[in-house]
Amino acid sequence: MTDSAARILLIGYGNPGRRDDGLGPQLAAEFEALALPGVAVDADYQLTVEDAAALAEHEVVIFADAAVAGSTPFYFHRLEPQDGVTFSTHSITPAAVLGLARDLFGARPAAYVLGIRGYEFDEFGETLSAGARANLAAAVQFLQQALVTGSFTEFGCGPAETPADRTRGNGDT
Amino acid sequence: MVATTMKNGLKRVIIEPVTRVEGHGKVSILLDQQNKVQQARLHIVEFRGFERFIQGRPYWEVPVLVQRLCGICPVSHHLAAAKAMDRIVGGEKLTPPAEKVRRLMHYGQMFQSHALHFFHLVSPDLLFGFDADPAIRNVIGVAAKYPDLAVQGVMMRKYGQEVIRITAGKKIHGTGAIPGGVNKNVSIEERDFLLKDLDQMVDWSRAALKLVKDYTTEHLEKLAPFGSFDSSHLSLVRADGAMDLYHGNLRAIDFQGKKIFDQVDYQQYLDYIQEEVRPWSYMKFPFIKSLGPETGWYRVGPLARVNACDFIDTPEAEAARQEFMALTKGKPNNISMAYHWTRIIELLHSIEKIKDLLHDQDLQGTDLVVKGPRRSEAVGLIEAPRGTLFHHYKVNDQDQVVMANLIVSTTNNNEPMNRAVQRVCADHLSGHEITEGLLNHVEVAIRAYDPCLSCATHALGRMPLVVELYDHAGQLLDRRARGTC
């Protein structure tokens, strides 16, 4: 992780050995190289409970992951803590880790999920598909702009939504 | 839930997926004409092709590449592959600094994995009861009612991850272990950073042990038969019979403690262990060759390790082991729910080992890599949190991997998990109604083994799920795949 005193935490997660599932870590690597001031970058295979402690140390948290559906090239949504649990044995969803940060540490960072559309997941391989690479480039450009300006505006639709499902708004923090 | 009446009058009831167990889990129950359980099966879908993915890659890349196999236990794969590649480069006799850095990494992995499993998966079952509403019986419920305990779980997991970060380099592309050694030592500053919270971790481990011990002894009448059965047990042990989670020789004992084999060099594992393919399962069923597939299956993991070893070489964990073994008068404990108690004995052992290592100046040593005569074939074996993990490779003269075979811990526990599910279903199912209670019991039984069903593909909006329907003769009747949810 870079810049431990940062206000913003960017977590890119996924498995770089599963083709487009590596979109999250690849995005993290690109922002690690950019070294934006005030932005800490972390990468992991998946989210786990201890991420709640890291969330509690930041004002803004962005979860970046590959998406199998939803808007192309990506969607960017405000995230609320989850009260219930869809918690498998060892990994945890962004909303649930946000809920743990709230319940265990009293932390309420502004949180966003960046879902970058991917296409190839069901094979081992360390390269992104051409479509995923293009979507990643668009997501990097969007997120860099947001991080530099501090203006986090929601964009696109998640996997189970249509445009009408969403009440669009400015998620500025 | 799906109920299907088959041509022979048997009903197959399928519960899927197993809640709070990653994606690819499915349980099928086969009923007879009297609606009694004839057969219950746990289906785990493994991604195939990883061995092929490795083939053609240079051997020195493998300890990093294999971490892609599993997002749950990348460190275990990292170290098992590194141990195999040590032999490929003739460097299996590591320098003391290299071995101690690797052991520190491994105990960090064991500590964080066991803490996660206990505090965030098992403690809800213990604190609220098996039959409690799943909406409460989870980590959020624990956070609400027992916030101190939930925080302890998070901070213990975090501590273990810090040990891994310092020894492996980083979380996602850990490169610490290389063929013949390690690529970095532990600096004084890093050591002091880990020492800062060490005493707290020891105290919390002791408290966790008391919690699970008290719970188990108080509820023994209910827990003893729950998903339980006699079995053999397999694990590594040190030459003197001590528990050794990083290195040793293979020992197998039967359900009464009689040795089936002992001090077997795991380079010869193929002479002792065989894998059976069954038509209804994607996951193989390993067994001890000399006993055959019917009776040669075995348990691995914390329960097997505590049963199989003669002693533990750290004082508090050894005292805990003796107390645990007294429950069965020194004989192997075959209670599935006893996995939890033994897991916490290992948690305490791991933090005791971490403490010893952090006070060892070899961690700051600079002699980190050895090499010797080159080999073309090697096996690396380690006791991962969930059990014995086998990595077997062949490498050609151009340094490319030409063969890879992996037997992961959850595969070793395949038959025992099926037995546990069978026992729970037989004890708790009547008719063909799947009650919430039965679902809870099946879940609790599977969780005792802490299976890793993760293929580490978890992309947003996706919960890969495959449903297959077989008749009693093993014929596929239907297959349905669902890629999104």
Side-chain angles (χ1 to χ4, degrees):
Chain A
M1 189 187 290
T2 56
D3 197 350
S4 59
R7 189 176 76 91
I8 300 171
L9 173 62
L10 168 62
I11 306 176
Y13 62 104
N15 186 346
R18 282 282 164 71
R19 301 291 315 270
D20 293 352
D21 199 42
L23 275 163
Q26 184 58 40
L27 180 124
E30 300 206 13
F31 278 92
E32 180 104 31
L34 286 170
L36 298 177
V39 179
V41 181
D42 198 7
D44 209 339
Y45 288 97
Q46 53 203 348
L47 300 175
T48 50
V49 292
E50 76 273 14
D51 290 315
L55 263 58
E57 296 169 0
H58 295 85
E59 297 170 27
V60 180
V61 179
I62 297 158
F63 300 96
D65 191 8
V68 296
S71 294
T72 299
F74 61 85
Y75 63 87
F76 185 76
H77 288 173
R78 181 77 186 241
L79 193 65
E80 296 300 327
Q82 187 182 46
D83 291 323
V85 171
T86 53
F87 179 28
S88 60
T89 44
H90 307 95
S91 64
I92 187 168
T93 66
V97 76
L98 200 57
L100 273 182
R102 176 197 61 193
D103 294 345
L104 298 183
F105 302 105
R108 295 177 180 274
Y112 301 86
V113 61
L114 174 63
I116 310 166
R117 186 76 165 87
Y119 308 96
E120 302 290 340
F121 295 92
D122 292 335
E123 58 183 301
F124 289 103
E126 294 183 295
T127 56
L128 298 174
S129 66
R133 279 201 307 274
N135 295 343
L136 174 66
V140 169
Q141 187 177 25
F142 170 87
L143 188 58
Q144 186 175 358
Q145 178 75 11
L147 291 170
V148 168
T149 62
S151 174
F152 299 96
T153 305
E154 292 188 299
F155 177 86
C157 297
E161 299 171 323
T162 66
D165 291 331
R166 294 201 61 75
T167 302
R168 293 181 186 281
N170 189 320
D172 291 1
T173 56
Chain B
M1 183 181 74
V2 178
T4 307
T5 303
M6 293 157 56
K7 288 176 184 173
N8 55 8
L10 297 176
K11 296 185 181 71
R12 184 179 292 279
V13 181
I14 297 178
I15 309 169
E16 37 95 16
V18 179
T19 52
R20 278 204 278 149
V21 178
E22 280 108 349
H24 291 181
K26 180 180 73 178
V27 171
S28 69
I29 305 166
L30 187 64
L31 302 176
D32 63 17
Q33 289 177 323
Q34 285 73 48
N35 284 332
K36 298 289 185 191
V37 175
Q38 172 168 310
Q39 185 184 77
R41 288 171 169 171
L42 170 65
H43 305 259
I44 297 174
V45 179
E46 283 184 319
F47 262 91
R48 295 294 180 87
F50 192 74
E51 285 91 346
R52 285 198 302 277
F53 171 58
I54 298 174
Q55 285 171 18
R57 306 296 286 258
Y59 70 81
W60 57 82
E61 287 186 359
V62 173
V64 175
L65 277 177
V66 291
Q67 295 174 84
R68 311 282 192 266
L69 184 64
C70 177
I72 302 298
C73 40
V75 172
S76 299
H77 286 293
H78 179 54
L79 289 174
K83 288 180 72 176
M85 297 312 163
D86 291 342
R87 290 187 63 83
I88 293 293
V89 302
E92 67 272 16
K93 178 67 180 162
L94 298 179
T95 65
E99 177 167 341
K100 288 172 184 175
V101 169
R102 282 199 193 175
R103 282 183 177 272
L104 182 59
M105 187 192 308
H106 188 47
Y107 292 121
Q109 156 86 347
M110 198 66 75
F111 186 75
Q112 61 88 8
S113 178
H114 284 353
L116 177 70
H117 185 262
F118 179 72
F119 284 96
H120 294 278
L121 291 158
V122 176
S123 73
D125 296 334
L126 307 191
L127 296 169
F128 299 113
F130 297 178
D131 298 318
D133 182 353
I136 301 168
R137 188 172 48 90
N138 55 53
V139 66
I140 301 292
V142 174
K145 195 165 179 186
Y146 306 93
D148 291 349
L149 198 64
V151 169
Q152 285 175 24
V154 168
M155 301 314 288
M156 290 169 82
R157 163 88 182 178
K158 190 167 187 288
Y159 185 83
Q161 291 289 72
E162 292 294 346
V163 174
I164 292 168
R165 180 182 63 77
I166 284 170
T167 51
K170 44 190 175 177
K171 284 189 282 187
I172 199 164
H173 292 296
T175 56
I178 58 176
V182 295
N183 65 6
K184 72 181 284 291
N185 63 9
V186 175
S187 69
I188 295 288
E189 292 74 23
E190 290 169 331
R191 180 202 64 189
D192 291 348
F193 173 77
L194 293 176
L195 281 172
K196 190 162 48 71
D197 294 323
L198 181 67
D199 289 343
Q200 182 67 80
M201 298 301 139
V202 174
D203 284 347
W204 285 346
S205 300
R206 290 173 182 143
L209 178 66
K210 183 175 186 325
L211 175 65
V212 72
K213 182 184 71 179
D214 290 350
Y215 176 84
T216 308
T217 49
E218 285 167 19
H219 298 82
L220 194 58
E221 194 175 338
K222 178 180 180 181
L223 297 181
F226 186 86
S228 292
F229 47 86
D230 289 342
S231 78
S232 300
H233 301 269
L234 176 83
S235 85
L236 284 179
V237 292
R238 212 166 61 185
D240 60 359
M243 171 185 280
D244 195 328
L245 303 174
Y246 176 75
H247 190 64
N249 293 314
L250 283 168
R251 172 182 287 177
I253 59 170
D254 70 12
F255 73 101
Q256 293 180 310
K258 185 182 169 192
K259 291 185 177 70
I260 302 167
F261 55 73
D262 193 17
Q263 298 299 339
V264 167
D265 180 354
Y266 58 72
Q267 298 304 317
Q268 274 75 55
Y269 81 101
L270 284 175
D271 294 337
Y272 295 85
I273 304 291
Q274 190 172 332
E275 293 177 276
E276 182 191 16
V277 176
R278 297 184 190 172
W280 58 270
S281 176
Y282 282 89
M283 197 159 71
K284 293 178 182 174
F285 289 78
F287 63 91
I288 295 167
K289 265 183 164 177
S290 62
L291 300 179
E294 287 300 315
T295 58
W297 51 274
Y298 50 84
R299 282 176 166 123
V300 297
L303 181 65
R305 292 190 286 249
V306 170
N307 278 330
C309 75
D310 297 329
F311 67 99
I312 299 176
D313 68 350
T314 55
E316 294 195 47
E318 170 59 11
R321 185 196 70 86
Q322 289 182 16
E323 200 168 2
F324 174 79
M325 296 305 290
L327 200 67
T328 49
K329 299 181 170 49
K331 294 289 186 185
N333 186 317
N334 288 290
I335 301 172
S336 286
M337 294 302 286
Y339 262 98
H340 299 317
W341 188 344
T342 52
R343 197 169 281 118
I344 301 306
I345 292 173
E346 289 190 346
L347 178 89
L348 184 58
H349 173 58
S350 297
I351 200 67
E352 286 184 289
K353 282 291 196 183
I354 289 169
K355 186 173 186 175
D356 289 347
L357 286 164
L358 288 176
H359 288 99
D360 191 324
Q361 292 182 349
D362 276 344
L363 282 185
Q364 285 78 50
T366 54
D367 185 11
L368 301 179
V369 182
V370 288
K371 291 195 176 172
R374 175 81 150 68
R375 294 186 180 90
S376 60
E377 182 173 1
V379 178
L381 200 143
I382 200 163
E383 285 294 337
R386 289 156 198 82
T388 318
L389 171 64
F390 297 72
H391 278 220
H392 181 190
Y393 302 99
K394 292 181 183 175
V395 178
N396 67 15
D397 291 340
Q398 287 73 49
D399 293 341
Q400 295 171 306
V401 174
V402 293
M403 188 284 290
N405 184 47
L406 279 58
I407 308 176
V408 303
S409 315
T410 298
T411 301
N412 280 308
N413 266 336
N414 196 0
E415 179 68 24
M417 287 190 296
N418 272 274
R419 298 265 170 165
V421 168
Q422 169 85 26
R423 174 77 194 267
V424 166
C425 290
D427 288 349
H428 297 279
L429 178 79
S430 61
H432 61 277
E433 288 295 315
I434 303 291
T435 61
E436 185 72 16
L438 178 71
L439 200 60
N440 289 345
H441 284 77
V442 168
E443 186 184 4
V444 168
I446 295 171
R447 193 177 303 132
Y449 291 83
D450 189 19
C452 177
L453 312 186
S454 171
C455 59
T457 294
H458 65 278
L460 282 172
R462 182 183 187 89
M463 187 170 70
L465 186 66
V466 177
V467 179
E468 293 188 330
L469 184 64
Y470 292 90
D471 68 13
H472 69 288
Q475 296 300 308
L476 184 67
L477 300 176
D478 190 20
R479 184 180 193 278
R480 185 171 298 164
R482 194 174 75 198
T484 58
C485 61

